[in-house]
């Protein structure tokens, strides 16, 4: 559930969230290749009822025997989080994601659970969800009780970390990447169903998660302004601590990364790799422009929010909003523009052909939201949607 940053234990482990402390590939005359890492938040459901169940502590205990601190609890006990190591290689990232998923699926099966990668729960829990035994989570649950309501909903995200040289660079990259995050959100949309109903959205997670303070596009800040704003948010009581800064792009408080937090968790592992590589390619492109003194774009804030609302509503079906021009364009055109915008960084890392192949697959098969709805149309039962999601995670 995208309610908090990694726990201190998770953040402090060596390289668990894409920190730039890992060695970087260097090429003559080139800047270092950026590292990337991924956090995935999964939902556990009972194999029989397909309802969310709070067996996370036992699943995590079993999976940690092989994964160690790469598997972590999340806000609710019905969730499990995994974190990859930093890498410059898409193949290595894919292999580690597959390994992490396989170990969690194996541990969950022993507890009679299925592992789902979906932004929201397809079916409703049979009883209120339980908050994980963590002092900070329980303080959050008490202080922000109105947000949690009856504790029968949860959201699961996929966060991409890009290694940076420090907070100043993370903020500069975030400022430059803001106009392109709605297209990433549309690509990653994977939560059309929520607790037994079709919401009409491609990403209901985006709507539900926005109930928490600070969720939304990041303000344009340099390092001095970030410190001032972060301190003010905590002092005013808007958030409990800095780890509750849930902007779509933020500098990590614990490791030297830029964290992109706009994506739903996705069942298909190739989609996760595509997201990470696109984010890395875009970051590399705008990093070069920053070094050359190219000014950052400045989309109007309300228009940027509207672009994210369009992405959440429609995903890749229909139209999206260009946050710079304000024009409505087919969502696939906006995604193609993102690909072209990231192309210099993708080409420098040798990732352009991979991205094109993975985008072709999404165009042919649909994104996660489209696939969930297709499963429902085939069978007319939400249980079949749950099973298709579980099969996709296990197949990795």
């Amino acid at each position: 559930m995208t309610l908090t940053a990694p726990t201190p234990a998770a953040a402090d482990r060596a390289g668990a969230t894409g920190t730039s402390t890992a060695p970087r590939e260097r090429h003559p005359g080139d800047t270092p290749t950026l590292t990337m890492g991924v956090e995935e938040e999964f939902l556990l459901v009972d194999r029989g009822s397909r309802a969310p169940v709070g067996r996370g502590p036992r699943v995590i205990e079993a999976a940690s025997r092989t994964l160690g601190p790469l598997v972590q609890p999340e806000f609710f006990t019905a969730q499990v989080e995994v974190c990859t190591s930093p890498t410059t290689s898409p193949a290595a990232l894919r292999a580690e994601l597959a390994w992490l998923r396989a170990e969690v699926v194996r541990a969950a099966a022993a507890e009679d659970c299925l592992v789902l990668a979906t932004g929201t729960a397809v079916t409703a829990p049979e009883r209120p969800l339980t908050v994980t035994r963590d002092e900070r989570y329980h303080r959050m649950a008490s202080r922000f009780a109105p947000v949690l309501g009856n504790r029968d909903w949860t959201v699961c995200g996929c966060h991409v970390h890009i290694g940076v040289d420090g907070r100043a660079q993370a903020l500069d990259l975030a400022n430059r990447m803001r106009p392109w995050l709605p297209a990433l959100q549309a690509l990653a949309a994977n939560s059309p169903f929520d607790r037994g109903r079709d919401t009409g959205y491609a990403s209901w997670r985006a709507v539900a998660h926005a109930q928490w303070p600070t969720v939304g596009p990041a303000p344009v800040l340099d390092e001095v302004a970030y410190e001032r704003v972060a301190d003010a948010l905590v002092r005013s009581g808007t958030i409990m601590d800095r780890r509750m800064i849930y902007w779509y792009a933020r500098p990590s408080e614990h490791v030297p990364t830029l964290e992109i937090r706009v994506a739903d968790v996705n069942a298909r592992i190739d989609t996760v790799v595509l997201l990470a590589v696109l984010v890395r390619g875009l970051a590399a492109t705008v990093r070069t422009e920053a070094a050359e003194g190219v000014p950052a774009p400045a989309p109007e804030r309300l228009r940027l929010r509207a672009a994210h609302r369009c992405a959440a509503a429609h995903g890749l079906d229909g139209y999206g909003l260009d946050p710079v021009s304000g024009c409505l364009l087919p969502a696939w055109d906006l995604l193609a523009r993102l690909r072209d915008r990231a192309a210099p960084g993708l080409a420098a890392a040798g990732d352009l052909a991979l991205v094109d192949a993975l985008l072709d697959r999404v165009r042919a098969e649909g994104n996660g939201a489209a696939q969930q709805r297709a499963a429902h149309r085939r069978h007319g039962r939400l249980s079949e949607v749950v099973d298709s999601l579980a099969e996709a995670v296990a197949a990795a």
Side-chain angles (χ1 to χ4, degrees):
M1 182 175 185
T2 317
L3 295 182
T4 112
T7 62
D12 291 342
R13 65 182 176 271
T17 52
T19 170
S20 61
T21 56
R24 293 173 171 175
E25 297 174 2
R26 292 182 179 272
H27 307 280
D30 289 344
T31 54
T33 300
L34 294 169
T35 58
M36 55 187 170
V38 171
E39 299 173 29
E40 292 192 284
E41 299 165 349
F42 299 123
L43 182 66
L44 299 175
V45 301
D46 181 79
R47 186 180 297 277
S49 69
R50 275 81 162 194
V53 288
R55 298 172 195 160
R58 295 196 297 273
V59 172
I60 292 165
E61 181 182 9
S64 65
R65 293 169 193 154
T66 52
L67 300 182
L70 298 181
V71 60
Q72 294 285 332
E74 249 298 330
F75 189 86
F76 286 119
T77 59
Q79 295 174 282
V80 175
E81 179 183 271
V82 297
C83 308
T84 71
S85 306
T87 183
T88 58
S89 164
L93 176 65
R94 192 189 194 287
E96 187 169 18
L97 286 166
W99 172 58
L100 292 168
R101 288 180 172 209
E103 293 300 323
V104 172
V105 167
R106 185 176 296 114
E111 298 296 334
D112 209 25
C113 288
L114 301 174
V115 179
L116 304 190
T118 178
T120 50
V122 176
T123 57
E126 296 177 335
R127 58 186 57 87
L129 298 173
T130 303
V131 177
T132 294
R133 284 190 181 180
D134 177 271
E135 185 270 338
R136 179 174 177 272
Y137 285 159
H138 279 271
R139 283 194 293 122
M140 287 175 63
S142 174
R143 185 160 165 182
F144 297 96
V147 174
L148 296 176
N150 294 326
R151 298 191 185 184
D152 63 345
W153 65 276
T154 183
V155 294
C156 295
C158 173
H159 307 154
V160 178
H161 287 255
I162 300 299
V164 295
D165 293 332
R167 181 165 293 166
Q169 185 182 54
L171 290 164
D172 185 54
L173 294 181
N175 293 341
R176 294 171 181 275
M177 293 169 70
R178 291 164 80 243
W180 303 101
L181 298 187
L184 280 169
Q185 181 180 11
L187 171 62
N190 185 41
S191 49
F193 298 103
D194 179 59
R195 293 167 291 174
R197 68 187 180 101
D198 188 328
T199 65
Y201 278 72
S203 175
W204 187 251
R205 167 190 166 271
V207 178
H209 193 213
Q211 296 179 60
W212 287 88
T214 74
V215 173
V220 176
L221 302 171
D222 60 17
E223 193 168 11
V224 172
Y226 173 83
E227 293 296 327
R228 182 174 65 250
V229 169
D231 285 346
L233 287 169
V234 176
R235 283 198 312 270
S236 68
T238 303
I239 57 176
M240 200 171 69
D241 53 40
R242 287 189 177 204
R243 288 157 61 192
M244 284 190 69
I245 295 176
Y246 297 142
W247 297 330
Y248 292 152
R250 71 176 187 184
S252 170
E253 284 292 324
H254 304 290
V255 289
T257 67
L258 168 65
E259 183 182 5
I260 302 300
R261 300 171 51 85
V262 77
D264 291 353
V265 68
N266 267 255
R268 290 186 303 188
I269 199 168
D270 283 346
T271 300
V272 182
V273 174
L274 174 58
L275 287 168
V277 172
L278 269 175
V279 169
R280 199 256 298 264
L282 180 61
T285 298
V286 300
R287 177 184 62 171
T288 298
E289 293 178 354
E292 295 171 350
V294 177
E300 198 273 327
R301 186 172 178 81
L302 291 179
R303 186 182 289 166
L304 186 58
R305 285 189 173 275
H308 280 289
R309 286 196 297 272
C310 268
H314 306 299
L316 292 177
D317 294 331
Y319 285 79
L321 180 67
D322 182 334
V324 175
S325 70
C327 294
L328 283 173
L329 297 170
W332 269 101
D333 287 2
L334 292 172
L335 187 56
R337 289 186 177 189
L338 167 61
R339 178 265 185 205
D340 292 345
R341 187 75 176 83
L346 293 170
D351 294 337
L352 199 52
L354 171 65
V355 164
D356 286 345
L358 294 179
L359 284 173
D360 284 345
R361 181 181 178 190
V362 175
R363 184 183 288 276
E365 300 177 0
N367 67 355
Q371 290 211 320
Q372 286 198 41
R373 285 196 170 112
H376 189 252
R377 284 196 301 271
R378 284 194 299 270
H379 305 286
R381 297 188 300 272
L382 289 175
S383 61
E384 297 291 345
V385 178
V386 170
D387 291 349
S388 70
L389 289 164
E391 288 166 7
V393 172

